[in-house]
Amino acid sequence: MKGFLYMRLAWQNIKNNRRTYVPYTLTVIGTILIYYSFHCIADNPGLLELRGGGWIKNIMGFGKNVITIFAIVFLFYTNSFLVKRRKREFALFNILGMEKRHLGRVLLWETVYVALIGFTAGIGGGILLSKLMYLLLLRLMTFPVQMGFFLSRAGFWYTVELFGIIFLAIWLNALRQIRTASPIELLQEGKAGEREPKTKALMAAAGLVCLAAGYTIAVVTESPLSALGLFFVAVLLVIVGTYLLFTAGSIAWLKLLRKRTGYYYRTRHFISVSGMLYRMKQNAVGLANICILSTMVLVMLSTTTALYAGTEDTLYSRCPRELVVEADGITAQEAQTYEQAVTRRLLEQFDVMPQEQLGYRYRLGIMLQEGSRLMEINDQVIGGEKAVGIQFIPLDELRFVGPEKIPAELAPDEVLVCSLKGTFSADSVTIGGREYRVAGQLSAADLGFNTGAYLRSYMIIMSDETAMAELFESGLSETESFSGEYQAGRLSYMFGFDIKDTAPAADVEEILRQAWAELGREDGPRIETQAENWGRLYRIHGGLLFLGVFLGLLFWMGMILIMYYKQISEGYEDRERYQIMRKVGLGKDEVKAAIGSQILQVFFLPLAAAALHMAFAFPLIARLMELANMYNTKLYLWTTMATVLVFAILYGIVYRLTARVYYRLVSEQDGGR
């Protein structure tokens, strides 16, 4: 009978506190729903039958780990808010004779009710959502749609186990808070006023230094290799700077506004500034959390959207022709024989000629550049900023280039320079201790090359293979700069061309292999096709976009939850204050204007800070995108601007909704729900 009483009391408490319990329950449902959906997709056997399915399975696994951390942090956060709001209620129950162990049973049943609703709606919705997500994933990765329905038994039990442990820990934590506090302490919870916070100049200065350091790293870093190592350092500095500035800088800013008498001594500004000033210590962390979550959402959505939208650009950066053959240690005669054999077979079988043909031998390596000097790496650590990719090419290998664009010959001490990425403008270049005169500059367009490269990259065209051999034998030793044993006349080889859909790509690829076999070489060529790269890139970028969208939605949900509970908490705290002001003559419109001013400043401060973070992070993230062969910075700029704009609009909608909730709370009579 007593157990039934606790069950009824728990359900009645949930109904009476629905303003706080409904968002919490929806958060539980949404988190369970997304977690089970990710698990169901990862366990789907049809995924592994697809090319690249293992990669997507790993992405789903990463997403599950992120959702797990999110669930633990935010469910604890929201439940702690519920317990804090209800401590007066628990104190009254305690004073009226209900022991703390009885309160613990009521809390247990409340937790059970929320868990049952969460599991039923979350897993039920997850079954439907997982199918929709799976179809969307196939669409993003350009795979054919698969029919059928898959239910993950393992995903069900993993979900029940994980969230069961979370609910148990939440209940034990709430029980601890009640057991360690006396009824008087519970009754007075939240009633003690705060003193005016002190201006912490040192903390504010430290926040500015951290933020400035993070911004500086993001702006001045030019090399993608350096950006990869410094990205997390910059992120950590910005996060620390954000928390410090919201904690100390916001107080300094509000006190500065208070000193501006023309601004401060107006009804709406007086109430909002003074109210925020005395509560800023407890609000600062929440505002910083909103700012960090907003930045995370913007970064994930802008980068994954740009990668997916720029897949075609990335394709041509990775594979400059429809078919590309690469090999090592091939002589000039072998290269010429191979190209003739391929051309002959294409004419015989399909009556077509290779188009946009590109074929040359080269020596590729990474060196260090200091001004006009190119030096060996040796055992030095590449700093990224000095690293440069070099292709050494004999002049006669550029026979595919029109004679009007290159000279007929070069002297042994002369070179041509083509800047694929970066600019080399000196009149001479010193390579490994040997000096050469720069006889001319070529552009990538002159040679028909794609400029995609994450390092500064130059092509050094030398007079002939003899000059190259002399350079490597006397000027460049065998080091980490150039892999493999150098052999005069046996350079790396690249041959590519387009067929413009005049022949089946698979048949042309077979021709490439047959022509290679005629050379009598034991090693095989490395063949890449744009069609194969196209499918692989869409699988990778589609999976990343899928992950970015759903994790972005998850973080967006958490951010909305923080903002909503923040307004609920402040609404309860401000209700009595505003009622007193109404009684002493403050008009309804003045109250509404003061509320609007306060919420507007508090709400849009994190959004403005997140937009500022994105503006300074843009150069660094753009460099990181180059490591994924995404060189279209203009496209990334447009996707970033669009993401920020859409985010700001949604943010404004949330502002309007929570402002209404706040105003209804402060307008209610004491004791209203």
Side-chain angles (χ1 to χ4, degrees):
M1 188 68 182
K2 289 183 179 179
F4 184 69
L5 174 64
Y6 297 141
M7 293 170 60
R8 289 182 57 190
L9 189 58
W11 183 250
Q12 189 64 38
N13 288 340
I14 292 176
K15 290 173 62 178
N16 292 339
N17 292 278
R18 56 186 175 273
R19 182 172 280 159
T20 52
Y21 257 104
V22 169
Y24 172 61
T25 306
L26 291 176
T27 303
V28 171
I29 293 173
T31 309
I32 293 176
L33 184 147
I34 295 179
Y35 180 83
Y36 176 78
S37 298
F38 269 71
H39 224 303
C40 197
I41 292 175
D43 294 342
N44 195 320
L47 190 65
L48 294 178
E49 297 176 3
L50 302 174
R51 193 168 186 178
W55 159 257
I56 301 303
K57 187 178 180 69
N58 292 335
I59 289 181
M60 295 297 104
F62 174 77
K64 287 187 298 182
N65 294 334
V66 174
I67 297 169
T68 300
I69 297 173
F70 175 90
I72 294 172
V73 172
F74 280 91
L75 293 184
F76 263 90
Y77 169 83
T78 51
N79 187 264
S80 65
F81 171 84
L82 294 177
V83 173
K84 180 181 178 181
R85 288 303 321 154
R86 298 182 59 200
K87 282 186 177 180
R88 284 187 66 191
E89 179 184 329
F90 295 148
L92 290 174
F93 283 143
N94 205 191
I95 292 172
L96 293 174
M98 183 177 285
E99 299 179 16
K100 290 184 177 179
R101 60 190 179 93
H102 299 144
L103 289 176
R105 293 176 185 176
V106 174
L107 284 174
L108 175 61
W109 277 109
E110 290 179 9
T111 304
V112 169
Y113 283 137
V114 173
L116 289 175
I117 295 173
F119 282 128
T120 303
I123 295 180
I127 293 173
L128 298 176
L129 182 64
S130 63
K131 180 60 178 178
L132 294 176
M133 290 171 62
Y134 188 62
L135 295 177
L136 175 62
L137 184 61
L138 295 177
R139 175 66 177 172
L140 290 174
M141 297 190 302
T142 67
F143 282 131
V145 174
Q146 298 179 353
M147 303 304 294
F149 213 84
F150 174 73
L151 299 178
S152 174
R153 182 177 299 178
F156 172 82
W157 289 114
Y158 274 119
T159 304
V160 171
E161 180 181 356
L162 171 64
F163 286 89
I165 294 173
I166 292 175
F167 286 127
L168 177 62
I170 286 174
W171 174 69
L172 292 175
N173 183 57
L175 199 61
R176 176 190 61 80
Q177 295 182 60
I178 294 175
R179 286 185 177 275
T180 56
S182 66
I184 300 300
E185 290 174 341
L186 292 173
L187 193 61
Q188 294 179 345
E189 180 73 25
K191 291 293 184 181
E194 284 195 28
R195 296 181 178 180
E196 179 178 328
K198 297 180 179 179
T199 304
K200 300 178 181 179
L202 185 60
M203 183 182 293
L208 284 173
V209 170
C210 289
L211 210 58
Y215 286 169
T216 301
I217 291 174
V219 172
V220 304
T221 303
E222 295 183 0
S223 168
L225 291 178
S226 296
L228 185 62
L230 294 173
F231 176 74
F232 292 103
V233 176
V235 168
L236 181 61
L237 287 170
V238 169
I239 290 176
V240 172
T242 300
Y243 280 107
L244 291 177
L245 282 179
F246 270 95
T247 302
S250 56
I251 294 172
W253 171 252
L254 290 171
K255 288 189 174 183
L256 181 63
L257 290 179
R258 191 174 62 177
K259 290 180 180 180
R260 296 178 55 194
T261 56
Y263 175 87
Y264 182 64
Y265 289 106
R266 295 181 181 177
T267 304
R268 69 168 68 178
H269 298 157
F270 176 83
I271 297 173
S272 62
V273 171
S274 59
M276 287 189 294
L277 180 61
Y278 280 85
R279 281 204 305 265
M280 190 49 72
K281 280 202 309 184
Q282 66 185 29
N283 284 344
V285 174
L287 293 175
N289 286 336
I290 294 172
C291 176
I292 297 301
L293 283 173
S294 300
T295 308
M296 291 172 63
V297 171
L298 291 172
V299 169
M300 282 193 298
L301 292 181
S302 63
T303 53
T304 54
T305 303
L307 281 173
Y308 190 79
T311 300
E312 297 294 333
D313 293 332
T314 304
L315 172 65
Y316 289 105
S317 296
R318 292 174 58 93
C319 193
R321 298 293 188 271
E322 292 180 24
L323 294 106
V324 174
V325 179
E326 292 182 313
D328 297 319
I330 184 171
T331 64
Q333 182 59 45
E334 288 174 326
Q336 186 176 1
T337 301
Y338 179 68
E339 293 173 18
Q340 291 174 350
V342 169
T343 302
R344 184 183 69 254
R345 286 175 174 269
L346 285 174
L347 282 172
E348 291 174 352
Q349 295 187 28
F350 302 106
D351 193 27
V352 298
M353 289 284 291
Q355 303 177 42
E356 301 294 331
Q357 188 169 321
L358 181 72
Y360 65 100
R361 294 181 308 133
Y362 61 96
R363 181 72 168 173
L364 176 65
I366 298 177
M367 304 183 73
L368 298 179
Q369 180 183 3
E370 288 187 357
S372 62
R373 298 178 59 207
L374 298 176
M375 302 170 293
E376 302 165 275
I377 294 176
N378 295 321
D379 296 326
Q380 301 177 40
V381 177
I382 300 177
E385 303 297 336
K386 294 183 177 181
V388 56
I390 303 292
Q391 289 188 48
F392 290 96
I393 305 175
L395 180 63
D396 59 359
E397 287 294 323
L398 300 182
R399 56 188 176 276
F400 60 91
V401 181
E404 70 281 358
K405 296 180 180 179
I406 59 173
E409 60 181 19
L410 290 171
D413 62 346
E414 291 181 332
V415 296
L416 298 174
V417 177
C418 176
S419 299
L420 298 178
K421 183 175 183 179
T423 303
F424 189 93
S425 57
D427 295 331
S428 64
V429 57
T430 302
I431 308 173
R434 301 190 65 168
E435 185 175 0
Y436 295 85
R437 187 179 73 85
V438 178
Q441 297 278 351
L442 301 175
S443 68
D446 292 335
L447 304 181
F449 285 90
N450 191 287
T451 58
Y454 60 83
L455 285 176
R456 282 182 297 170
S457 301
Y458 308 133
M459 298 179 69
I460 306 293
I461 295 94
M462 308 193 71
S463 58
D464 51 33
E465 291 189 43
T466 302
M468 285 183 59
E470 292 177 354
L471 172 63
F472 278 89
E473 289 172 356
S474 61
L476 294 177
S477 59
E478 285 306 318
T479 65
E480 296 179 7
S481 295
F482 297 89
S483 59
E485 181 180 357
Y486 175 74
Q487 300 177 19
R490 298 180 67 83
L491 310 178
S492 296
Y493 173 62
M494 197 275 280
F495 173 52
F497 58 91
D498 294 337
I499 54 176
K500 305 296 184 183
D501 296 326
T502 56
D507 293 341
V508 177
E509 187 173 344
E510 181 60 28
I511 286 176
L512 293 174
R513 298 189 185 280
Q514 292 174 357
W516 187 266
E518 292 180 0
L519 296 178
R521 296 175 58 92
E522 296 182 358
D523 59 327
R526 300 182 295 275
I527 300 177
E528 276 195 278
T529 66
Q530 285 185 351
E532 182 179 353
N533 275 280
W534 186 87
R536 181 168 62 247
L537 287 174
Y538 268 107
R539 288 192 292 272
I540 295 174
H541 294 174
L544 290 175
L545 177 61
F546 178 85
L547 184 66
V549 168
F550 278 92
L551 292 185
L553 290 175
L554 192 66
F555 290 135
W556 171 254
M557 181 176 66
M559 187 191 67
I560 292 176
L561 196 66
I562 292 176
M563 291 191 291
Y564 178 81
Y565 280 135
K566 183 177 178 300
Q567 296 305 326
I568 290 284
S569 178
E570 292 186 1
Y572 281 119
E573 292 176 4
D574 289 347
R575 182 168 56 195
E576 294 182 10
R577 301 186 184 107
Y578 278 107
Q579 287 174 358
I580 292 173
M581 292 178 188
R582 289 289 304 276
K583 290 176 182 178
V584 298
L586 193 67
K588 183 177 180 181
D589 292 337
E590 291 174 315
V591 170
K592 204 165 187 178
I595 291 172
S597 176
Q598 176 176 324
I599 297 179
L600 190 67
Q601 293 183 57
V602 171
F603 252 64
F604 285 94
L605 184 62
L607 178 61
L612 185 66
H613 291 346
M614 284 296 296
F616 278 97
F618 181 85
L620 183 65
I621 299 177
R623 299 288 82 78
L624 290 174
M625 299 278 276
E626 292 181 3
L627 295 175
N629 297 109
M630 172 62 183
Y631 305 103
N632 193 338
T633 305
K634 187 176 181 180
L635 174 62
Y636 176 50
L637 175 62
W638 281 109
T639 57
T640 300
M641 293 172 61
T643 303
V644 172
L645 178 61
V646 172
F647 184 86
I649 293 172
L650 295 175
Y651 197 96
I653 294 173
V654 174
Y655 155 70
R656 293 295 299 272
L657 295 175
T658 53
R660 292 177 182 175
V661 173
Y662 180 89
Y663 181 73
R664 283 199 300 267
L665 280 174
V666 299
S667 301
E668 289 176 354
Q669 297 297 318
D670 190 26
R673 290 290 175 191

